[in-house]
């Protein structure tokens, strides 16, 4: 803190050449602190300590030394930020917070609390998820059941029709053909007559095949080779036209094969339209709706069996969580007496020799309606993120005085000294 003072001659006692503040930091640890010291060219003693000195002359000139080396004043400022905690009366606000008091004992206990607390938090996260899911399912069971009934009804309608992807478009094309069957039959028949000729072999209606045949015969006996070379090409054309004639014949047979087909297709189209009016714009969309409904149903199991299974998982996790919570509490209780003794000892050196500190650890009872109430050793307690414990620091101002919360039993100045004592104890615990 002294490294932040401005170098004013008024700080020097009248008649003295200079004012000096010297301090020794014991067991310096931490990468940042050691880097500052080594970077300034100073040395840490064999026992891990280092001496820092700041002087202000009567002429206003300032000097700073660290580990026996002259250093810039800023070096002491940087080191002080790493190693010093400055307390005033406003720090009592921190000490009044229950979470801050719990943090004190956890920091003092170190791994003894940190390890079971980490395991507790891991199980608690899973337990919270199951508790929340069970509560949501129970609260929304009626709503979910109604939604599930609607989804099942929709799936039943769709599965009864058994639509096929793209079927509606295919039916539309079939209906167009079947609705115009007479016109289509006339067109196909005329085309077949033009291609193949009359079935009775009428010479007045030879068709394309007959005409091509006549052309082939004439070219085949021509005297000019150029004309004869054209005959094979006509033969290829005859094959192609013959195939078209066969296909036209098959088409006409299909038109005549099932005269009731149009009514069947129209009936099928009506079934599909019932689905597309309710669930999607087309059959593909209906099938997508059905798949989504099946997936939603798989996560909406509100049956008694599903809820019972979830409740059993919750209870199993609660038992495991209670075990971890008990381990955390036991570690805190073990640390409480040692912490109280260490703080009390430090207060003796801070002009509070008759004061005593007690550290209490007790479970926090669960409030009515607490969603995270946890049974621990027959008692319902609140399972918070830091365990089930409430930690409180109590102060006896003198022998025979009642133990009261520190913010009630101590003045502002005494609270600052309590905070300082806590920091000293915690600093020793961090380096132990």
């Amino acid at each position: 803190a002294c490294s932040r003072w401005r170098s004013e001659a008024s700080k020097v006692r009248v008649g003295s050449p200079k004012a000096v503040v010297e301090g020794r930091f014991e067991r310096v640890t931490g990468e940042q602190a050691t880097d500052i010291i080594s970077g300034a060219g100073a040395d840490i003693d064999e026992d891990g300590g280092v001496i820092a000195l700041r002087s202000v002359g009567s002429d206003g000139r300032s000097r700073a030394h660290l580990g026996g080396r002259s250093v810039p004043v800023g070096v002491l400022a940087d080191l002080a930020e790493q190693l010093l905690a400055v307390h005033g009366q406003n720090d009592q606000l921190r000490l009044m917070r229950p979470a801050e008091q719990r943090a004190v004992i956890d920091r003092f206990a170190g791994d003894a609390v940190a390890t079971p607390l980490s395991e507790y938090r891991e199980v608690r996260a899973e337990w919270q998820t199951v508790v929340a899911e069970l509560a949501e399912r129970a609260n929304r069971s009626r709503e979910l059941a109604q939604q599930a009934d609607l989804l099942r009804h929709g799936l039943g309608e769709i599965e009864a029709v058994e639509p096929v992807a793209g079927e509606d478009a295919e039916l539309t094309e079939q209906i167009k053909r079947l609705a115009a069957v007479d016109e289509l039959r006339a067109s196909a028949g005329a085309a077949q007559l033009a291609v193949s000729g009359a079935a009775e072999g009428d010479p007045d209606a030879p068709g394309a095949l007959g005409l091509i045949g006549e052309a082939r015969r004439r070219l085949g006996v021509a005297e000019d080779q150029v004309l004869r070379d054209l005959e094979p090409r006509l033969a290829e054309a005859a094959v192609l036209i013959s195939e078209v004639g066969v296909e036209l014949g098959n088409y006409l047979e299909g038109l005549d094969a099932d005269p009731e087909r149009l009514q069947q297709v129209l009936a099928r189209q009506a079934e599909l339209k019932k689905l597309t009016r309710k669930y999607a714009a087309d059959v593909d969309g209906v099938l997508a709706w059905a798949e989504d409904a099946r997936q939603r149903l798989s996560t909406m199991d509100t049956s008694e069996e599903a809820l019972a299974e979830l409740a059993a998982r919750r209870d199993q996790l609660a038992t495991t969580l209670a075990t971890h919570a008990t381990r955390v509490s036991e570690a805190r209780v073990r640390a409480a007496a040692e912490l109280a003794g260490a703080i009390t000892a430090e207060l003796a050196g801070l002009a509070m020799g008759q004061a005593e500190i007690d550290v209490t650890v007790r479970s926090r009872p669960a409030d009515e309606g607490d969603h995270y109430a946890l049974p621990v050793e027959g008692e319902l307690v609140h399972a918070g993120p830091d365990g089930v414990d409430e930690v409180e620091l109590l102060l006896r101002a003198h022998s025979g005085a009642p133990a009261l919360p520190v913010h009630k039993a101590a003045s502002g100045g005494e609270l600052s000294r309590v905070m300082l004592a806590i920091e000293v104890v915690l600093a020793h615990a961090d380096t132990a």
Side-chain angles (χ1 to χ4, degrees):
C2 65
S3 59
R4 289 298 186 195
W5 292 347
R6 299 181 62 183
S7 55
E8 299 177 0
S10 61
K11 303 295 184 182
V12 183
R13 179 183 298 175
V14 176
S16 298
K18 61 181 177 180
V20 179
V21 176
E22 180 177 342
R24 175 178 170 81
F25 296 104
E26 297 182 355
R27 294 194 298 275
V28 176
T29 59
E31 183 177 351
Q32 291 181 321
T34 56
D35 285 348
I36 291 171
I37 295 171
S38 60
D43 296 323
I44 299 177
D45 296 340
E46 293 182 358
D47 60 359
V50 66
I51 295 176
L53 182 145
R54 173 79 184 277
S55 65
V56 178
S58 58
D59 58 359
R61 294 183 179 180
S62 175
R63 300 285 188 275
H65 293 79
L66 179 64
R69 298 292 297 272
S70 177
V71 298
V73 173
V75 172
L76 292 189
D78 293 339
L79 183 62
E81 289 181 357
Q82 300 297 323
L83 301 179
L84 290 179
V86 181
H87 290 282
Q89 293 188 10
N90 288 336
D91 288 316
Q92 61 183 286
L93 297 176
R94 284 178 52 204
L95 201 57
M96 291 171 63
R97 301 173 191 156
E100 183 70 22
Q101 297 186 26
R102 183 173 54 237
V104 167
I105 196 170
D106 288 355
R107 182 178 166 189
F108 177 79
D111 290 342
V113 166
T115 298
L117 183 58
S118 175
E119 296 169 348
Y120 165 89
R121 286 171 174 163
E122 183 177 348
V123 175
R124 180 179 180 270
E126 186 177 357
W127 175 70
Q128 279 184 299
T129 300
V130 174
V131 168
E133 183 179 354
L134 184 60
E136 181 183 6
R137 287 198 183 188
N139 293 336
R140 296 183 56 214
S141 59
R142 178 176 299 176
E143 178 185 352
L144 290 175
Q146 292 173 347
Q147 292 179 9
D149 286 343
L150 290 174
L151 292 174
R152 292 190 188 96
H153 177 74
L155 283 173
E157 288 188 333
I158 294 171
E159 291 170 355
V161 175
E162 296 182 342
V164 178
E167 183 181 3
D168 47 350
E170 182 181 346
L171 290 178
T172 299
E173 293 300 320
Q174 289 187 39
I175 290 170
K176 287 180 181 179
R177 291 197 305 271
L178 293 171
V181 64
D182 291 337
E183 180 181 349
L184 294 173
R185 184 181 292 110
S187 297
Q192 186 184 42
L193 179 63
V195 168
S196 302
E200 297 81 8
D202 186 351
D204 294 330
L209 282 174
L211 294 173
I212 290 175
E214 178 62 23
R216 290 178 62 193
R217 285 192 297 273
R218 291 181 180 274
L219 293 177
V221 297
E223 295 296 333
D224 192 336
Q225 183 62 38
V226 174
L227 294 177
R228 290 198 301 272
D229 290 342
L230 294 175
E231 190 274 335
R233 295 169 63 184
L234 287 175
E236 294 176 1
V239 172
L240 179 61
I241 292 176
S242 177
E243 292 176 352
V244 172
V246 172
E247 291 184 15
L248 286 170
N250 293 336
Y251 181 83
L252 286 168
E253 290 180 4
L255 288 177
D256 296 333
D258 190 359
E260 297 180 356
R261 177 61 179 165
L262 177 60
Q263 294 302 319
Q264 296 174 354
V265 173
L266 287 173
R268 178 62 176 174
Q269 186 185 56
E271 287 183 323
L272 296 180
K273 283 185 175 180
K274 289 181 181 179
L275 300 180
T276 55
R277 281 196 298 267
K278 295 180 65 173
Y279 302 108
D282 54 27
V283 168
D284 288 351
V286 171
L287 294 172
W289 185 93
E291 179 59 29
D292 179 68
R294 293 186 187 95
Q295 293 181 1
R296 292 174 61 188
L297 278 172
S298 67
T299 62
M300 293 172 61
D301 190 353
T302 58
S303 64
E304 293 296 329
E305 294 79 6
L307 293 177
E309 182 179 350
L310 201 58
R313 178 60 179 159
R314 175 203 59 193
D315 295 342
Q316 179 185 12
L317 287 169
T319 300
T320 304
L321 186 62
T323 299
H324 290 301
T326 300
R327 291 173 182 169
V328 173
S329 300
E330 290 173 348
R332 284 173 174 157
V333 169
R334 287 193 296 269
E338 186 178 350
L339 174 62
I343 297 174
T344 299
E346 290 295 333
L347 289 177
L350 297 172
M352 293 181 66
Q354 295 185 359
E356 293 183 12
I357 289 288
D358 286 340
V359 180
T360 64
V361 179
R362 59 178 178 272
S363 298
R364 173 185 168 184
D367 297 328
E368 185 176 355
D370 189 344
H371 293 298
Y372 298 116
L374 179 70
V376 178
E377 297 181 353
E379 179 184 4
L380 277 180
V381 298
H382 175 73
D386 297 306
V388 301
D389 304 314
E390 290 183 323
V391 176
E392 189 171 30
L393 272 66
L394 305 177
L395 173 66
R396 289 189 179 89
H398 54 81
S399 178
L404 298 175
V406 289
H407 64 278
K408 293 182 179 180
S411 65
E414 289 173 334
L415 275 175
S416 296
R417 280 178 275 175
V418 171
M419 286 293 296
L420 178 57
I422 291 172
E423 288 289 355
V424 171
V425 170
L426 294 181
H428 285 303
D430 291 340
T431 58

